[in-house]
Amino acid sequence: DERPAFRTRPRAGALAAHRRPHHPIILCSGYSEALNEANALAMGVSGVLAKPVDRDSMAAAVRRAIG
């Protein structure tokens, strides 16, 4: 959840997805208004969750991400 000051969360997620294309990336943030799920998915992120995240939502996102 923490990020370098020079990167937005979706951009950091896209960088991680680029560097490790076979590893699913799920972004979790307390700043839901700053996240655009469609843009994040287009950048290679597997899923986007707004905090607080409950166990069932996290489990569903992980299942979708790993196929």
Side-chain angles (χ1 to χ4, degrees), residues 22-43:
H22 302 294
H23 294 198
I25 306 295
I26 300 172
L27 294 179
C28 299
S29 178
Y31 299 101
S32 59
E33 67 277 356
L35 287 178
N36 180 320
E37 186 171 7
N39 288 346
L41 295 174
M43 287 189 255

Side-chain angles (χ1 to χ4, degrees), residues 4-27:
F6 60 91
R7 289 201 181 110
T8 62
R9 283 176 178 82
R11 201 171 274 170
L15 179 61
H18 175 74
R19 289 186 178 170
R20 307 266 189 209
H22 302 294
H23 294 198
I25 306 295
I26 300 172
L27 294 179

